[in-house]
């Protein structure tokens, strides 16, 4: 039988005959209700595996996916240019997509979003590098649309949401934009193929960065509502 005891200053220990039993411990609710584990204050709910490794219990919530520029392509119409920027020989080389300073240009990537995604809104950060020493603002946007099984890909993207980020004043610096406001992915649903489009809104008067904005990648933030993708 399992017993629950307190130890020291109030720890609770679920014990199977002081460790002499090898059976499982099952916590069940016959009414199909939730079982809630709530640590006090800033405590973390943790579990220990068979190798005595302790880790936090995964909780559905905010997750991220990073998509590098190498996984994107410039669109056929007004596409951003793929470039390889060598910093110094045998040091990190930057694989980027160059977005023009005067014309709106685009790139795209696609993801089969995790099944645990709640199909709600997303946010993003743009990782980019200046092509010159200007410190003006670049407007980088993202929009998305999901396509279900056996449906056409000839669909309209949702509304683009933009972040504004200033050039750092040095070529080859890595710039990380603020997190965007919420993006609504058009036709969002479970088990879909989701297209994303990146655009620099160079035609907007608020975009004052005078050089190419060299996109390094996009970090997506999405919310899960399930423990796994089963």
């Amino acid at each position: 039988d399992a017993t629950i005891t307190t130890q020291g200053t109030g720890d609770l220990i679920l014990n199977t005959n002081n460790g002499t039993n090898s059976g499982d411990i099952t916590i069940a609710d016959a009414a199909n209700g939730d079982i809630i584990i709530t640590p006090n204050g800033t405590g973390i709910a943790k579990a220990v595996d068979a190798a005595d490794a302790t880790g936090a219990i995964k909780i559905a919530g905010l997750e991220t996916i990073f998509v590098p520029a190498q996984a994107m392509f410039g669109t056929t119409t007004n596409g951003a240019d793929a470039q390889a920027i060598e910093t110094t020989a045998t040091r990190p080389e930057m694989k980027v997509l160059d977005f023009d300073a005067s014309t709106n240009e685009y790139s795209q990537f696609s993801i089969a979003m995790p099944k645990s995604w709640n199909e709600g809104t997303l946010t993003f950060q743009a990782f980019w590098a200046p092509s010159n020493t200007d410190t003006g603002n670049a407007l980088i946007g993202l929009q998305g649309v999901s396509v279900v099984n056996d449906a056409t890909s000839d669909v309209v993207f949702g509304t683009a949401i933009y972040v504004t980020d200033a050039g750092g004043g040095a070529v080859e610096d890595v710039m990380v934009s603020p997190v965007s406001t919420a993006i609504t992915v058009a036709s969002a649903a479970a088990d879909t193929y989701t297209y994303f489009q990146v655009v620099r809104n160079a035609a907007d008067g608020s975009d004052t960065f005078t050089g190419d904005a060299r996109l390094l990648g996009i970090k997506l933030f999405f919310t899960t509502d399930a423990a796994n993708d089963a």
Side-chain angles (χ1 to χ4, degrees):
D1 294 334
T3 59
I4 299 177
T5 60
T6 61
Q7 183 179 37
T9 58
D11 295 336
L12 285 177
I13 299 175
L14 187 59
N15 194 317
T16 55
N17 287 344
N18 294 317
T20 59
N21 286 353
S22 59
D24 295 336
I25 296 173
T26 301
I27 302 174
D29 181 73
N32 297 321
D34 294 337
I35 296 173
I36 299 173
I37 301 173
T38 307
N40 188 44
T42 58
I44 298 173
K46 297 182 179 181
V48 180
D49 66 12
D52 288 331
T54 301
I57 298 172
K58 182 176 173 62
I59 298 174
L62 191 65
E63 306 278 358
T64 65
I65 297 174
F66 183 77
V67 182
Q70 298 97 306
M72 305 179 191
F73 60 90
T75 53
T76 302
T77 301
N78 292 348
D81 295 323
Q83 301 287 343
I85 310 300
E86 185 180 47
T87 55
T88 298
T90 72
R91 293 185 182 181
E93 190 160 327
M94 304 165 70
K95 299 290 187 180
V96 300
L97 286 163
D98 277 0
F99 288 77
D100 192 74
S102 59
T103 303
N104 286 15
E105 292 185 332
Y106 304 83
S107 69
Q108 293 185 9
F109 62 94
S110 304
I111 296 176
M113 289 292 289
K115 189 176 180 180
S116 55
W117 174 39
N118 70 352
E119 292 92 50
T121 57
L122 312 175
T123 57
F124 78 97
Q125 284 179 301
F127 287 63
W128 65 287
S131 63
N132 64 15
T133 59
D134 186 59
T135 57
N137 290 326
L139 269 64
I140 301 173
L142 187 69
Q143 53 194 151
V145 60
S146 293
V147 178
V148 298
N149 176 53
D150 201 21
T152 181
S153 292
D154 189 4
V155 289
V156 177
F157 281 106
T159 302
I161 297 296
Y162 292 89
V163 291
T164 300
D165 202 27
V171 178
E172 299 171 358
D173 279 5
V174 174
M175 312 303 301
V176 182
S177 79
V179 177
S180 73
T181 56
I183 301 167
T184 298
V185 176
S187 305
D191 293 329
T192 56
Y193 189 66
T194 302
Y195 292 94
F196 290 94
Q197 181 161 261
V198 184
V199 56
R200 178 182 176 186
N201 197 357
D204 189 291
S206 298
D207 187 312
T208 58
F209 182 68
T210 59
D212 284 351
R214 292 176 162 165
L215 186 69
L216 294 164
I218 293 290
K219 187 176 186 180
L220 290 173
F221 298 82
F222 64 98
T223 301
T224 60
D225 58 4
N228 55 50
D229 289 322

